[in-house]
Amino acid sequence: MFDSVTFVSLGPGDPELITLKGLKTLQEADLIFCPSTALPQGKSSSRAKDVLLQLGFDESKLNTFNVPMNKDRSLAIESYKAVAKEISDRYKSGHKIAVTAEGDAGFYSTIYYISEYLTQENIPVSRIAGVPAFIACGTLANIHIVKQEEELEVIPGIITLNNLKEKLEKGKTIVLMKASQCEEVIMEALENIQDATFHYFENVGIAEKEFYTQEKQAIANRKLPYFSLIIIRK
């Protein structure tokens, strides 16, 4: 496995949803890189690191890197370049390197940029699959997200009300990732789309933070956080 830098998918946040292959790879790694987010007062938060600590990993083995949550993408790009350079140097010096990703590493994952930079530097990369958030959401709500000949469309937080209506009229099930980025449209949809069910989720897989409802008024009363997701079915 470590003839490459390995990107390991952790799943949506529940430590028990990591795959056996992913867990074994992390256990064999010399150094594990984990994305983190800067918080006020100089603190930071890393869901990936929290998962690994719950799985019993030694903190000395974990190396967090900051991913700026800002509309100015230049800040994030500089962060990705810097950590890719560190990973490249460590790999060339003989370390077994794993990089963690929440959800699945190939599904709207920030590690894509790091992987691209490493590839440009001729560093071999590989990925281990994981459970994406919307699959875990379907399990929590105990629903079939799609069945038989139904179609699924996944949208990363940018859509208009009319476009949403058109997709639903075609019989598609819609997964709205990053719901906070289209909160205004979602609130309009709750009022204007009567013949659909809205399954709303926050922090799926995170103990004591997980939230699910299909009550429209309960959704309308919430301020949608970054880790929120909606599945809409006709």
Side-chain angles (χ1 to χ4, degrees), residues 34-47:
C34 305
S36 66
T37 303
L39 299 175
Q41 301 176 336
K43 297 181 179 180
S44 65
S45 173
S46 173
R47 291 194 170 199

Side-chain angles (χ1 to χ4, degrees), residues 67-132:
V67 179
M69 305 301 291
N70 193 299
K71 290 183 178 180
D72 179 3
R73 295 303 296 164
S74 64
L75 298 175
I77 288 171
E78 288 305 313
S79 177
Y80 297 137
K81 286 182 178 179
V83 73
K85 175 65 166 59
E86 183 178 357
I87 291 170
S88 175
D89 291 343
R90 296 290 191 111
Y91 178 79
K92 290 176 181 177
S93 67
H95 287 84
K96 298 176 181 178
I97 304 294
V99 185
T100 57
E102 296 162 16
D104 179 82
F107 188 80
Y108 292 124
S109 177
T110 57
I111 64 90
Y112 161 79
Y113 302 96
I114 299 171
S115 179
E116 288 293 291
Y117 290 135
L118 291 173
T119 299
Q120 291 171 14
E121 296 299 318
N122 296 316
I123 301 295
V125 298
S126 61
R127 289 204 307 262
I128 294 176
V131 178

Side-chain angles (χ1 to χ4, degrees), residues 161 164-165 168 176 179 182-200 213-224 230-232:
L161 180 60
L164 180 58
K165 286 181 176 179
L168 290 171
L176 277 176
C182 57
E183 184 169 343
E184 184 176 339
V185 171
I186 290 170
M187 297 308 168
E188 291 176 352
L190 291 170
E191 292 184 7
N192 291 282
I193 301 177
Q194 303 302 319
D195 56 346
T197 303
F198 292 74
H199 297 273
Y200 173 73
T213 186
Q214 55 178 296
E215 296 293 331
K216 286 187 174 182
Q217 192 57 52
I219 302 169
N221 290 340
R222 298 185 78 83
K223 176 67 178 175
L224 310 190
I230 291 185
I231 299 174
I232 308 174

Side-chain angles (χ1 to χ4, degrees), residues 14-27:
D14 182 344
E16 294 184 347
L17 287 181
I18 188 174
T19 66
L20 284 174
K21 186 173 183 179
L23 180 60
K24 289 177 180 177
T25 299
L26 293 172
Q27 289 170 338

Side-chain angles (χ1 to χ4, degrees), residues 153 159-172 174 193 234:
E153 186 158 348
I159 193 171
T160 65
L161 180 60
N162 286 338
N163 196 4
L164 180 58
K165 286 181 176 179
E166 290 172 3
K167 294 178 186 299
L168 290 171
E169 286 301 319
K170 292 178 180 178
K172 294 184 177 182
I174 306 299
I193 301 177
K234 269 294 252 190

Side-chain angles (χ1 to χ4, degrees), residues 143-158:
I143 59 173
H144 284 82
I145 299 173
V146 282
K147 56 185 182 293
Q148 298 178 341
E149 303 302 317
E150 293 175 345
E151 295 184 7
L152 175 71
E153 186 158 348
V154 181
I155 299 168
I158 305 297

